[in-house]
Amino acid sequence: SQKIEQNSEALNIQEGKTATLTCNYTNYSPAYLQWYRQDPGRGPVFLLLIRENEKEKRKERLKVTFDTTLKQSLFHITASQPADSATYLCALLNQAGTALIFGKGTTLSVSS
Amino acid sequence: EADIYQTPRYLVIGTGKKITLECSQTMGHDKMYWYQQDPGMELHLIHYSYGVNSTEKGDLSSESTVSRIRTEHFPLTLESARPSHTSQYLCASAQGNNSPLHFGNGTRLTVT
């Protein structure tokens, strides 16, 4: 069955540094992958979508890469700020094509 | 901000009670979803709907039921709540299959 693994449960970095989060998936070849941000007690908020034929996607300080050979996506936040502290989830369409499945997420803490 | 609303935000109820969690969206989206999320864990799909009078069970087995009589409304019902139903329930909607999900802020249910 499909599986999504996000590399670590928690990542602590200093303000101004680049945060890099990893999402690995198995047993499937999704046509696209999405990243979401979730704050405590709130629903996830969509950030970026990257398709299988796109190597990289950028939005302001965010950058996502998608390597279908490695079955991996990397999510980068450059010049990180304390306000970037949150849990980041990666998601891809399930094999039935009916809905998104999500990883457990990586909780990022940016200290000033 | 997405226009998707969930009520109540918090609910504490005794075992055996019937409850309905409300979810409404004003974006005219055909696709709607219910996910269940325990603290620190991934979201699990429990129900989805592709339009009025269409409902399907998700990847995670759930004793809850849903209905979709109007495009904008997708309520979830538990006929007899049990402590094992204690969790956060997140509702989402999307325009199409490849579209991002718009989430509500969830209902945190506690069954005593």
Side-chain angles (χ1 to χ4, degrees), chain A residues 9 31-32 34 36 38 41-46 49 51 89 93-94 97-105, chain B residues 9-10 33 35 37 40-43 45 48 50 59 88 90 97-106 108:
Chain A
E9 291 188 0
Y32 61 88
Q34 299 184 22
Y36 289 77
Q38 187 174 25
R42 314 280 288 204
V45 174
F46 170 75
L49 180 153
R51 302 185 191 282
L89 312 173
L93 198 62
N94 65 11
T98 52
L100 289 182
I101 59 171
F102 287 81
K104 276 189 189 179
Chain B
R9 280 285 276 131
Y10 303 94
Y33 308 85
Y35 287 86
Q37 185 182 32
M41 301 299 287
E42 61 263 59
L43 283 75
L45 180 71
Y48 63 96
Y50 281 176
D59 304 323
Q88 172 155 266
L90 290 159
N97 241 2
N98 295 342
S99 302
L101 293 183
H102 298 270
F103 281 89
N105 280 324
R108 180 159 296 283

Side-chain angles (χ1 to χ4, degrees), chain A residues 43-60:
Chain A
V45 174
F46 170 75
L47 296 175
L48 281 167
L49 180 153
I50 187 165
R51 302 185 191 282
E52 61 179 340
N53 60 351
E54 297 174 316
K55 296 290 185 207
E56 182 180 296
K57 200 87 168 272
R58 290 177 186 261
K59 179 182 174 184
E60 297 171 353

Side-chain angles (χ1 to χ4, degrees), chain A residues 41-80:
Chain A
R42 314 280 288 204
V45 174
F46 170 75
L47 296 175
L48 281 167
L49 180 153
I50 187 165
R51 302 185 191 282
E52 61 179 340
N53 60 351
E54 297 174 316
K55 296 290 185 207
E56 182 180 296
K57 200 87 168 272
R58 290 177 186 261
K59 179 182 174 184
E60 297 171 353
R61 292 184 295 110
L62 309 180
K63 185 179 87 171
V64 172
T65 63
F66 193 11
D67 188 327
T68 54
T69 301
L70 291 179
K71 294 188 184 294
Q72 180 180 83
S73 175
L74 298 179
F75 178 81
H76 307 271
I77 306 175
T78 58
S80 59

